[in-house]
Amino acid sequence: SQTIHQWPATLVQPVGSPLSLECTVEGTSNPNLYWYRQAAGRGLQLLFYSVGIGQISSEVPQNLSASRPQDRQFILSSKKLLLSDSGFYLCAWGRRVTEAFFGQGTRLTVV
Amino acid sequence: GDSVTQMEGPVTLSEEAFLTINCTYTATGYPSLFWYVQYPGEGLQLLLKATKADDKGSNKGFEATYRKETTSFHLEKGSVQVSDSAVYFCALSDSGNQFYFGTGTSLTVIP
């Protein structure tokens, strides 16, 4: 069966510090991978999605970037965090026209 | 472009009350429709789905029918329990690689 791992679960970072959130998927190959953000009081916002190694599509211009160095690894990064980057970040994997399976999420607080 | 409009919350109900959470969508093609649930402190879990018009998705007593004529996918449950307290997200997946989510509806069920 497929599983998705996302870490860390919680993170408190100062403004201006770098960020690296990692997500890995097991039990499947060539998945579509997604990063979503859920800001306080708002819904889910698609940040990035990837259909293959090195292929990243950005939905919203912002202070974040994503990379996919391996087939089942998806990394969300920032060089300098802003206060507005605080939120709940969710990684997900899926196939075309089917459901997305979500990780447990990372609660990021920028102070 | 594709989008999902979801009933705003928060919604507070007494145990055993009837639940309806409205969801309408806009899509150029023939999307698949989903309801996801997010329990406190957790990631999103798929609750139910429907892949074509007139399909009814059901799970854990929840139901939603894909209505193409009204572009709706309302979530219903005949008798809610305290354990149903969560945030519910309506979503659609088009023929590409993306999922579009509503803003979420927070449900609190009181004993």
Side-chain angles (χ1 to χ4, degrees):
Chain A
S1 63
Q2 301 89 358
T3 56
I4 181 168
H5 303 281
Q6 184 181 342
W7 68 92
T10 59
L11 190 60
V12 180
Q13 292 283 101
V15 169
S17 64
L19 173 73
S20 180
L21 302 181
E22 190 161 344
C23 172
T24 60
V25 181
E26 297 177 358
T28 186
S29 59
N30 196 31
N32 295 334
L33 296 172
Y34 308 86
W35 277 111
Y36 287 88
R37 177 169 60 196
Q38 185 181 21
R42 300 173 63 181
L44 278 172
Q45 180 183 42
L46 178 63
L47 301 176
F48 302 95
Y49 73 92
S50 171
V51 299
I53 295 174
Q55 300 179 61
I56 309 294
S57 296
S58 174
E59 289 300 300
V60 183
Q62 60 209 317
N63 184 41
L64 302 169
S65 62
S67 61
R68 185 169 178 173
Q70 301 179 40
D71 180 45
R72 289 170 287 179
Q73 184 184 29
F74 204 25
I75 298 172
L76 182 70
S77 304
S78 174
K79 292 182 179 178
K80 290 185 178 182
L81 283 169
L82 306 172
L83 286 174
S84 58
D85 292 323
S86 294
F88 192 56
Y89 290 82
L90 289 159
C91 180
W93 76 274
R95 297 288 188 187
R96 293 174 67 91
V97 204
T98 58
E99 60 267 46
F101 298 94
F102 286 83
Q104 291 299 300
T106 297
R107 175 77 58 193
L108 171 65
T109 303
V110 182
V111 296
Chain B
D2 294 357
S3 66
V4 174
T5 301
Q6 186 174 340
M7 167 180 161
E8 291 193 18
V11 175
T12 301
L13 294 174
S14 298
E15 206 165 22
E16 299 183 2
F18 185 85
L19 168 72
T20 299
I21 301 178
N22 290 335
C23 172
T24 57
Y25 68 90
T26 302
T28 53
Y30 301 94
S32 294
L33 301 174
F34 309 87
W35 276 100
Y36 281 84
V37 58
Q38 183 181 30
Y39 296 104
E42 299 184 13
L44 272 69
Q45 302 172 29
L46 178 66
L47 180 60
L48 53 85
K49 68 175 181 178
T51 57
K52 61 183 187 297
D54 299 326
D55 269 3
K56 177 185 284 188
S58 60
N59 186 26
K60 300 181 181 179
F62 290 89
E63 293 184 340
T65 302
Y66 190 147
R67 301 285 189 200
K68 190 172 184 297
E69 62 277 11
T70 55
T71 61
S72 65
F73 194 55
H74 305 322
L75 182 69
E76 297 182 335
K77 186 173 185 182
S79 176
V80 294
Q81 306 301 312
V82 172
S83 58
D84 294 326
S85 298
V87 180
Y88 293 83
F89 292 90
C90 184
L92 72 82
S93 173
D94 59 17
S95 57
N97 297 309
Q98 296 193 40
F99 293 82
Y100 298 88
F101 286 84
T103 53
T105 301
S106 175
L107 170 67
T108 301
V109 180
I110 54 178

